[in-house]
Amino acid sequence: MSEKIIEKVGITLQVPCIGYERTINLMIEKKIRFAIFVIQGLLKEDPEIGEEKAVYPTDIDYEGLGKIKNLESQDTIVNIYLSSTLENTKNAVLREIKDLRKVDESIKIIMVGHSMGADNIVELTKENRDIIFNFIILLDIKDATSYGILSIDDDNINENVENVINYYQEGEKTGIGGEKIEIINPQKTKGVNILSPGSNHRSIDNDLKYFIIEDIINFKKGKDAVMIAKNRKLPIFRPSDSDSEDVLNFKPRWENLSTPITIEEISNPSNK
């Protein structure tokens, strides 16, 4: 795909992927304070270069992390990406973060990822220690190496991450996920590992979607989102209620578009 040049506010932005012009224009037209990047779990295969951003409505998991899209507002943009076992998703997200920070260095970067998407996020933060990631939420990190006990998960969080919540599960009999993070420098990074009771690797994103929305809202309001999440009592989830397909089959779970969440749902996630 050929690159398109956009000249705004005295800088030149390279725009190599679908939907990118809209993001930069939003940044310039409105006073964006928060940029949320969601990287979903792996689909059937890696996205092609230039096609890493999830396309409405077929690529977005509206039963899971796609709900976060509803947080887009006057001061917040939300971009949803497809995870990849290769480098292209990380490169696409990194390029967008850098360009957004060229426009406004103070913009807060929030990242949410499930499975391979969580792994992409951890690797991105480790490979770019000159970039500050203000808040990341990880859901059951899963590396691309292999399955089961041979899987090598990324679990070290460096000091360029200011706040991190790692949700993990212990219900996957295949041995996938269940990884806890390790904070390299607790003086620089506030983080916590939180068990999602009853969840498995397939269901954890659907089980926790409303609590993740609550985490993001708390962070945006300037609250201690990490401590609030740590002290929250989660219900015991039933994976059979989550409409999640078997992760080993790589079946898209969002073939049918569901009704987006309402303001009431966002305001009362703990009741869901």
Side-chain angles (χ1 to χ4, degrees), residues 26 37 45 72 79 89 94 111 113 120 122 150-151 164-165 172 180-181 184 190 194 200 213 232 242 244 248 269:
L26 274 173
F37 294 86
E45 57 189 18
E72 195 160 78
N79 295 298
T89 292
L94 176 63
M111 307 197 73
N120 287 170
V122 175
L150 298 179
S151 176
V164 54
I165 300 173
E172 192 67 52
K180 296 181 181 179
I181 58 170
I184 298 300
K190 178 174 290 186
I194 299 176
N200 61 28
I213 289 171
R232 176 199 292 136
S242 71
S244 295
L248 296 179

Side-chain angles (χ1 to χ4, degrees), residues 11-60:
I11 63 172
T12 299
L13 306 178
Q14 302 294 327
V15 184
C17 67
I18 297 173
Y20 201 82
E21 180 175 354
R22 175 180 172 276
T23 298
I24 299 300
N25 284 342
L26 274 173
M27 180 69 191
I28 294 164
E29 293 169 3
K30 301 187 295 185
K31 179 58 178 178
I32 298 299
R33 297 177 55 217
F34 304 94
I36 304 174
F37 294 86
V38 178
I39 308 183
Q40 300 176 150
L42 190 66
L43 288 175
K44 292 182 179 179
E45 57 189 18
D46 293 318
E48 297 290 333
I49 294 176
E51 299 179 0
E52 298 88 0
K53 187 168 285 189
V55 178
Y56 172 90
T58 56
D59 292 338
I60 299 178

Side-chain angles (χ1 to χ4, degrees), residues 136-190:
I136 67 174
I137 303 174
L138 309 170
L139 289 89
D140 216 38
I141 307 165
K142 168 67 182 72
D143 192 87
T145 306
S146 59
Y147 293 108
I149 60 174
L150 298 179
S151 176
I152 301 174
D153 293 310
D154 287 301
D155 60 5
N156 295 326
I157 304 299
N158 290 309
E159 59 185 29
N160 59 322
V161 176
E162 293 182 338
N163 301 276
V164 54
I165 300 173
N166 177 57
Y167 292 104
Y168 67 98
Q169 54 76 33
E170 294 180 340
E172 192 67 52
K173 296 180 180 179
T174 59
I176 295 175
E179 190 75 12
K180 296 181 181 179
I181 58 170
E182 298 177 14
I183 305 298
I184 298 300
N185 187 348
Q187 302 300 317
K188 296 286 188 177
T189 304
K190 178 174 290 186

Side-chain angles (χ1 to χ4, degrees), residues 14 17 45 60-61 76 93 106 115 124-125 131 134 175 224-225:
Q14 302 294 327
C17 67
E45 57 189 18
I60 299 178
D61 180 7
T76 304
V93 173
S106 67
S115 188
L124 184 65
T125 64
I131 294 177
N134 305 101
D224 188 341

